[in-house]
Coordinates of all heavy atoms in Angstrom, one line a residue:
F1 N 131.4 140.7 114.8 CA 130.1 140.2 115.4 C 129.0 141.0 114.6 O 129.3 141.9 114.0 CB 130.0 140.4 116.9 CG 130.1 141.8 117.4 CD1 129.0 142.6 117.6 CD2 131.4 142.4 117.6 CE1 129.3 144.0 117.9 CE2 131.6 143.7 118.1 CZ 130.4 144.5 118.2
I2 N 127.8 140.5 114.9 CA 126.6 141.3 114.4 C 125.7 141.7 115.6 O 124.8 142.5 115.4 CB 125.7 140.5 113.4 CG1 125.2 139.2 113.9 CG2 126.6 140.3 112.1 CD1 124.2 138.6 112.9
A3 N 125.9 141.0 116.7 CA 125.1 141.3 117.9 C 125.9 141.0 119.2 O 126.9 140.3 119.1 CB 123.8 140.3 117.9
R4 N 125.4 141.7 120.2 CA 126.1 141.5 121.5 C 125.5 140.5 122.5 O 126.0 140.3 123.6 CB 126.2 142.9 122.2 CG 127.0 143.9 121.4 CD 126.9 145.4 122.1 NE 127.8 146.3 121.3 CZ 129.1 146.5 121.4 NH1 129.8 145.8 122.3 NH2 129.7 147.4 120.6
S5 N 124.4 140.0 122.1 CA 123.7 138.9 122.8 C 122.7 138.1 121.9 O 122.4 138.6 120.8 CB 122.8 139.6 123.9 OG 121.7 140.3 123.4
C6 N 122.4 137.0 122.4 CA 121.4 136.1 121.7 C 120.1 136.9 121.5 O 119.5 136.9 120.4 CB 121.1 134.8 122.4 SG 122.6 133.9 122.8
G7 N 119.7 137.6 122.5 CA 118.5 138.4 122.5 C 118.5 139.6 121.6 O 117.5 140.3 121.3
G8 N 119.7 140.0 121.2 CA 119.9 141.0 120.3 C 119.3 140.8 118.9 O 118.8 141.7 118.2
C9 N 119.3 139.5 118.5 CA 118.7 139.1 117.3 C 117.3 138.5 117.5 O 116.3 138.9 116.9 CB 119.5 138.0 116.6 SG 121.1 138.5 116.1
H10 N 117.1 137.7 118.5 CA 115.9 137.1 119.0 C 115.3 137.9 120.0 O 115.2 137.5 121.2 CB 116.1 135.6 119.4 CG 116.7 134.8 118.4 ND1 116.1 134.2 117.3 CD2 118.0 134.4 118.3 CE1 116.9 133.4 116.7 NE2 118.1 133.6 117.2
V11 N 114.8 139.1 119.8 CA 114.2 140.1 120.7 C 113.0 139.4 121.3 O 112.1 139.0 120.6 CB 113.9 141.4 120.0 CG1 113.3 142.4 121.1 CG2 115.1 142.1 119.4
Q12 N 113.0 139.3 122.6 CA 111.8 138.8 123.4 C 111.6 137.4 122.9 O 110.5 136.9 122.9 CB 110.6 139.7 123.2 CG 110.6 141.1 123.8 CD 110.8 140.9 125.3 OE1 111.9 141.3 125.9 NE2 109.8 140.5 126.0
D13 N 112.7 136.7 122.5 CA 112.7 135.3 122.0 C 111.9 135.1 120.7 O 111.4 134.1 120.4 CB 112.1 134.4 123.1 CG 112.9 134.5 124.4 OD1 114.0 134.2 124.4 OD2 112.3 135.0 125.5
G14 N 111.7 136.3 120.1 CA 110.8 136.4 118.9 C 111.6 136.5 117.6 O 112.8 136.1 117.5
R15 N 110.9 137.1 116.6 CA 111.4 137.1 115.3 C 112.0 138.4 114.9 O 111.5 139.6 115.2 CB 110.2 136.8 114.4 CG 110.5 136.7 112.9 CD 109.3 136.4 112.1 NE 109.5 136.4 110.7 CZ 110.1 135.4 110.0 NH1 110.3 134.4 110.6 NH2 110.4 135.5 108.8
G16 N 113.1 138.4 114.1 CA 113.7 139.6 113.7 C 112.9 140.3 112.4 O 112.1 139.6 111.9
E17 N 113.4 141.4 112.0 CA 112.9 142.0 110.9 C 114.0 142.7 110.1 O 115.0 143.1 110.7 CB 111.7 143.0 111.2 CG 112.3 144.3 112.0 CD 111.1 145.2 112.3 OE1 110.3 145.5 111.4 OE2 111.1 145.7 113.5
P18 N 113.7 142.9 108.8 CA 114.8 143.6 108.0 C 114.9 144.9 108.4 O 114.0 145.6 108.9 CB 114.4 143.3 106.6 CG 112.9 143.1 106.7 CD 112.6 142.5 107.9
P19 N 116.1 145.6 108.1 CA 116.3 147.0 108.4 C 115.2 147.9 107.6 O 114.7 147.5 106.5 CB 117.7 147.3 107.8 CG 118.4 146.0 107.8 CD 117.3 145.0 107.6
A20 N 114.8 149.0 108.3 CA 113.7 149.7 107.7 C 114.0 151.2 107.5 O 113.1 151.9 107.0 CB 112.5 149.6 108.6
I21 N 115.2 151.7 107.6 CA 115.6 153.1 107.5 C 116.2 153.2 106.1 O 117.3 152.5 105.9 CB 116.4 153.6 108.7 CG1 115.6 153.5 110.0 CG2 116.8 155.1 108.4 CD1 116.5 153.9 111.2
F22 N 115.8 154.1 105.3 CA 116.4 154.2 103.9 C 116.9 155.6 103.7 O 116.3 156.6 104.2 CB 115.2 153.8 102.9 CG 114.7 152.5 103.0 CD1 113.6 152.2 103.8 CD2 115.3 151.4 102.4 CE1 113.1 150.9 104.0 CE2 114.8 150.2 102.5 CZ 113.7 150.0 103.3
N23 N 117.9 155.7 102.8 CA 118.4 157.0 102.4 C 117.7 157.3 101.1 O 116.8 156.6 100.6 CB 119.9 156.9 102.3 CG 120.3 156.0 101.2 OD1 119.7 155.6 100.3 ND2 121.7 155.6 101.3
R24 N 118.1 158.4 100.5 CA 117.4 158.9 99.3 C 117.5 157.9 98.1 O 116.8 158.0 97.1 CB 117.9 160.3 98.9 CG 119.4 160.4 98.6 CD 119.8 161.8 98.3 NE 121.2 161.9 98.0 CZ 121.7 161.7 96.8 NH1 121.0 161.4 95.8 NH2 123.1 161.8 96.7
L25 N 118.5 157.0 98.1 CA 118.7 156.1 97.1 C 118.0 154.8 97.2 O 118.1 153.9 96.5 CB 120.3 155.8 97.0 CG 121.2 157.0 96.5 CD1 122.7 156.5 96.5 CD2 120.8 157.6 95.2
G26 N 117.3 154.7 98.3 CA 116.5 153.5 98.6 C 117.3 152.5 99.3 O 116.8 151.3 99.3
E27 N 118.5 152.8 99.8 CA 119.3 151.8 100.4 C 119.3 152.0 101.9 O 119.3 153.1 102.4 CB 120.7 151.8 99.9 CG 120.8 151.5 98.5 CD 122.3 151.6 97.9 OE1 123.2 152.2 98.5 OE2 122.6 151.0 96.9
T28 N 119.2 150.9 102.7 CA 119.2 151.0 104.2 C 120.6 151.4 104.7 O 121.6 150.9 104.2 CB 118.7 149.7 104.8 OG1 118.7 150.0 106.2 CG2 119.5 148.5 104.5
K29 N 120.6 152.2 105.8 CA 121.8 152.5 106.6 C 121.7 151.8 107.9 O 122.7 151.9 108.7 CB 122.1 153.9 106.6 CG 122.6 154.5 105.3 CD 123.1 156.0 105.6 CE 123.6 156.6 104.3 NZ 124.2 158.0 104.5
D30 N 120.7 151.0 108.2 CA 120.5 150.4 109.4 C 121.5 149.3 109.5 O 121.8 148.5 108.6 CB 119.1 149.7 109.5 CG 118.2 150.5 110.6 OD1 118.7 151.3 111.1 OD2 117.1 150.0 110.7
P31 N 122.1 149.1 110.6 CA 123.0 147.9 110.8 C 122.2 146.6 110.8 O 121.0 146.6 111.3 CB 123.6 148.1 112.2 CG 122.6 148.9 113.0 CD 122.0 149.8 111.9
T32 N 122.7 145.6 110.2 CA 122.0 144.3 110.1 C 122.3 143.5 111.4 O 123.3 143.0 111.7 CB 122.4 143.5 109.0 OG1 123.9 143.4 109.0 CG2 122.1 144.2 107.6
V33 N 121.3 143.4 112.3 CA 121.4 142.7 113.5 C 120.6 141.4 113.4 O 121.2 140.3 113.4 CB 120.9 143.5 114.7 CG1 121.0 142.7 116.0 CG2 121.9 144.8 114.9
A34 N 119.3 141.5 113.3 CA 118.4 140.3 113.2 C 118.6 139.7 111.8 O 118.1 138.6 111.5 CB 117.0 140.7 113.4
L35 N 119.1 140.4 110.8 CA 119.3 139.9 109.5 C 120.8 139.6 109.3 O 121.7 140.5 109.3 CB 118.9 141.0 108.4 CG 119.2 140.7 107.0 CD1 118.3 139.5 106.4 CD2 119.0 141.8 106.1
L36 N 121.2 138.4 109.0 CA 122.6 138.0 108.7 C 122.6 137.5 107.4 O 121.7 137.0 106.8 CB 123.1 136.9 109.7 CG 122.5 135.6 109.7 CD1 123.1 134.6 108.8 CD2 122.6 134.9 111.2
I37 N 123.8 137.5 106.7 CA 124.1 137.0 105.4 C 125.1 135.9 105.4 O 126.2 136.1 105.9 CB 124.7 138.2 104.5 CG1 123.8 139.4 104.6 CG2 124.8 137.7 103.1 CD1 122.4 139.3 104.0
R38 N 124.6 134.7 105.0 CA 125.5 133.6 104.8 C 126.3 133.7 103.6 O 125.8 134.3 102.5 CB 124.8 132.3 104.7 CG 124.0 132.0 106.0 CD 124.8 131.4 107.0 NE 124.0 130.9 108.2 CZ 124.4 130.9 109.4 NH1 125.7 131.5 109.7 NH2 123.7 130.5 110.4

């Protein structure tokens, strides 16, 4: 899975955002919840 509820992606029935926490190499370590990859 990527989320435990519909509201986990659509927070407040709204819009997700990409992960925003970066390491020193510029890569995110945030889990992708609102961002999925087909």
Side-chain angles (χ1 to χ4, degrees):
F1 60 94
I2 63 171
R4 297 177 181 271
S5 69
C6 305
C9 294
H10 303 279
V11 178
Q12 295 297 111
D13 307 296
R15 183 179 175 82
E17 63 178 320
I21 299 175
F22 299 90
N23 63 20
R24 61 184 179 83
L25 297 177
E27 295 178 342
T28 179
K29 286 189 174 181
D30 247 3
T32 53
V33 176
L35 174 73
L36 66 85
I37 308 292
R38 297 280 187 215

